[in-house]
């Protein structure tokens, strides 16, 4: 099942994350992704690249979805590259900065 308890989801944010994303069972980040045009979101584990000099790592605590996210998921503006993790409007805590 793709169901995830809130505690498990919250623990993913408690892990240190670094900043190209690769799906895998050992990922250091957890998001909610669409895998097709259905719009259904399910947990998606992925890894961030190593922190670069101009990067900022943010522990995301809240994310919002706007209508442009829905257009992206549905492929309304051209073919989407799945999985898509929508929600570009975020609030969080800066946990690391590059040099």
């Amino acid at each position: 099942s793709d169901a995830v308890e809130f505690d498990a989801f919250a623990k993913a944010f408690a892990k240190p994350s670094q900043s190209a994303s690769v799906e895998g069972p050992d990922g250091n980040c957890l998001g909610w992704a669409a895998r097709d045009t259905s719009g259904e979101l399910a947990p998606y584990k992925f890894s961030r690249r190593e922190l670069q000099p101009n990067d900022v790592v943010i522990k995301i605590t809240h994310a919002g979805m706007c209508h442009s996210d829905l257009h992206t998921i549905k492929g309304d503006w051209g073919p989407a590259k799945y999985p898509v993790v929508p929600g570009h409007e975020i609030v969080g805590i800066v946990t690391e900065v590059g040099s």
Side-chain angles (χ1 to χ4, degrees):
S1 166
D2 282 336
V4 150
E5 295 295 322
F6 177 78
D7 289 340
F9 188 72
K11 283 180 187 175
F13 286 108
K15 295 178 182 175
S17 80
Q18 301 176 33
S19 291
S21 301
V22 178
E23 183 175 15
D26 299 322
N28 61 8
C29 294
L30 180 63
W32 289 85
R35 289 169 171 79
D36 56 37
T37 60
S38 70
E40 184 176 325
L41 302 179
Y44 172 66
K45 203 174 226 189
F46 60 99
S47 295
R48 295 283 184 178
R49 68 172 188 242
E50 293 291 325
L51 184 68
Q52 302 293 306
N54 294 322
D55 286 343
V56 175
V57 177
I58 301 171
K59 177 180 169 183
I60 299 171
T61 58
H62 299 79
M65 284 184 35
C66 68
H67 208 75
S68 63
D69 294 308
L70 300 177
H71 284 297
T72 300
I73 291 169
K74 298 282 189 182
D76 292 339
W77 296 334
K81 184 177 176 185
Y82 297 101
V84 171
V85 178
H88 60 273
E89 299 159 341
I90 63 169
V91 175
I93 301 163
V94 173
T95 59
E96 288 183 74
V97 295
S99 58

